[in-house]
Amino acid sequence: MQGICLLGATGSIGQSTLDIIAQHPEKFTLVNASANESVDKMAEICRRFKPLRVVMGSQQARDELAYKCQGLAISFEWGEEALDSIASDSAVDQVMAAIMGFAGLKPTLAGIRAGKRTLLANKESLVTAGKLFMDEVARHDVMLLPIDSEHNAIYQSLPQTSHGAHQQDVSKILLTASGGPFRSWTLDEMKFVTPEQACKHPNWSMGQKISIDSASLMNKGLELIEACWLFDVTPNQVDVVVHPESIIHSMVSYLDGSVIAQMGNPDMKIPIAYGMSWPNRIETSVPPLNLVDVARLNFESPDLMRFPNLKLASDAWFMGGTAMAVLNATNEIAVTAFLNRQIGFLDIARLNERVLMAANIVAVNDLDDVFEADRYSRQLALGMISSGNFS
């Protein structure tokens, strides 16, 4: 029986994780969970799974949840310290790090420092503090399993040992991208994209932030950086391939010309179940892939003129230091501004580029450098949005 700490329980990854826990009650139990402000959803989780500890993002949300869940033997808590505490709790065996954005970094590190198996669905942790993050994984000898479908596919396509996947005789990593809802749109058409259109991903059911990132290809840029840290490569060793069907989730090309791919229907329960049960496999509710029904798989190169965020991510990697934290912070501000209709869809990439070029990039020596870069970049981005000075 594995005790699970689910960071980000009310999001799409959290909900799929709960589905796996419910399907295998003999293998997994929900020990601790967190959410930000989704009180009603968390109340349902508490009633069904009865975790020991639950952390909310504010005192008000905590109090509302405690009121709705009167009679349940659950410790209701709130705030950053409580979040770190539930990830490092002695009753926890695995931490599912599914808090979206920069906010997921500290509690994920708390779980790593406590020696917990870490299932990483928060790419921003690696994007903003990649070297520090991976140094902590090595220092505490933690099993780190990527949950993003693409990185999970790469992991599955690499040689496996008793300690996990290892890069051996690899020529290139082939990172697939669906291309998002605007894959075939012109720049003129994308000028008038609405938040509602951008949130309608053709293959995946995701939250607003990641849906917008997928539409702008920033999600693939962040995944490019994540892959570099996870698999000890550079952007020159990673090819992004647009694959609209999202059936092949990523591939590894070997020196002898072989290419190994992981395929499956587009459902996050597959990589989640793989991470939770590694090195074994368990059943999910996902229907098996029927290649006859799929019939055809298509591939194309990404268009960097229409989707410049992908190149910005590569540029940030080579700039090094705090550049990746700057890009991530700016993009979070840009996506929020787009969702609030303060800027247009194409302005997301423009703002990302302007702040990245204007920011003071310094070496990352500790987490304080990362947090300062995040704070500074958000302030700079908000100022540019306010003045309109970024196009």
Side-chain angles (χ1 to χ4, degrees), residues 1-317:
M1 179 67 73
Q2 292 282 293
I4 307 297
C5 174
L6 179 50
L7 301 175
T10 58
S12 59
I13 297 294
Q15 294 297 295
S16 292
T17 302
L18 292 170
D19 287 345
I20 297 298
I21 293 173
Q23 192 173 348
H24 297 277
E26 78 288 354
K27 296 181 183 294
F28 308 109
T29 183
L30 183 66
V31 174
N32 299 331
S34 79
N36 189 23
E37 301 289 336
S38 301
V39 173
D40 290 338
K41 281 187 177 181
M42 183 57 89
E44 292 176 11
I45 293 169
C46 289
R47 296 186 193 108
R48 183 179 181 190
F49 292 92
K50 297 178 175 60
L52 300 178
R53 300 173 66 189
V54 170
V55 175
M56 300 299 289
S58 69
Q59 185 173 0
Q60 180 179 347
R62 188 276 309 273
D63 292 346
E64 289 180 16
L65 180 64
Y67 179 77
K68 288 177 179 288
C69 296
Q70 293 179 70
L72 294 179
I74 298 172
S75 173
F76 297 102
E77 306 167 41
W78 73 280
E80 289 186 7
E81 288 187 9
L83 206 55
D84 293 353
S85 177
I86 63 168
S88 56
D89 195 315
S90 60
V92 169
D93 300 295
Q94 301 184 20
V95 174
M96 174 62 76
I99 295 175
M100 292 297 102
F102 186 66
L105 174 59
K106 283 187 67 181
T108 304
L109 281 174
I112 288 170
R113 287 165 178 159
K116 311 300 182 183
R117 175 188 285 204
T118 302
L119 313 178
L120 187 65
N122 170 277
K123 61 179 63 67
E124 290 84 359
S125 293
L126 276 175
V127 170
T128 58
K131 185 178 186 305
L132 294 177
F133 190 95
M134 295 306 292
D135 285 349
E136 290 295 288
V137 169
R139 183 175 296 116
H140 297 281
D141 194 25
V142 166
M143 173 62 71
L144 177 68
L145 290 150
I147 299 302
D148 270 352
S149 61
E150 296 83 357
H151 301 91
N152 191 271
I154 295 164
Y155 193 95
Q156 293 192 50
S157 300
L158 288 169
Q160 299 287 316
T161 73
S162 60
H163 297 289
H166 289 270
Q167 188 181 6
Q168 180 178 319
D169 303 327
V170 170
S171 173
K172 276 208 169 185
I173 286 172
L174 306 176
L175 187 67
T176 60
S178 71
F182 312 126
R183 179 176 59 88
S184 59
W185 288 37
T186 65
L187 280 171
D188 284 339
E189 290 172 326
M190 286 194 284
K191 288 179 183 177
F192 306 104
V193 162
T194 66
E196 291 77 16
Q197 289 173 315
C199 284
K200 289 182 179 178
H201 194 279
N203 300 328
W204 297 92
S205 175
M206 305 181 293
Q208 284 188 322
K209 165 65 165 59
I210 194 171
S211 294
I212 303 301
D213 283 348
S214 180
S216 73
L217 253 63
M218 176 52 82
N219 191 49
K220 205 53 50 179
L222 299 178
E223 288 177 3
L224 171 69
I225 294 171
E226 185 181 7
C228 289
W229 289 119
L230 282 170
F231 305 113
D232 194 23
V233 295
T234 72
N236 293 335
Q237 296 166 281
V238 181
D239 284 346
V240 174
V241 180
V242 175
H243 169 48
E245 293 81 10
S246 296
I247 295 298
I248 293 178
H249 299 297
S250 275
M251 299 166 273
V252 174
S253 177
Y254 288 85
L255 296 176
D256 63 359
S258 300
V259 176
I260 296 178
Q262 187 269 333
M263 306 171 69
N265 287 315
D267 192 311
M268 285 305 298
K269 286 193 283 291
I270 294 176
I272 288 169
Y274 180 85
M276 291 173 69
S277 64
W278 190 94
N280 303 309
R281 293 180 187 266
I282 56 176
E283 291 183 3
T284 70
S285 59
V286 182
L289 179 64
N290 188 320
L291 286 173
V292 175
D293 288 346
V294 173
R296 180 171 297 182
L297 302 175
N298 296 282
F299 305 92
E300 60 191 59
S301 298
D303 185 338
L304 300 183
M305 292 293 293
R306 289 184 298 132
F307 300 99
N309 276 329
L310 187 54
K311 184 178 184 299
L312 283 177
S314 178
D315 291 344
W317 166 271

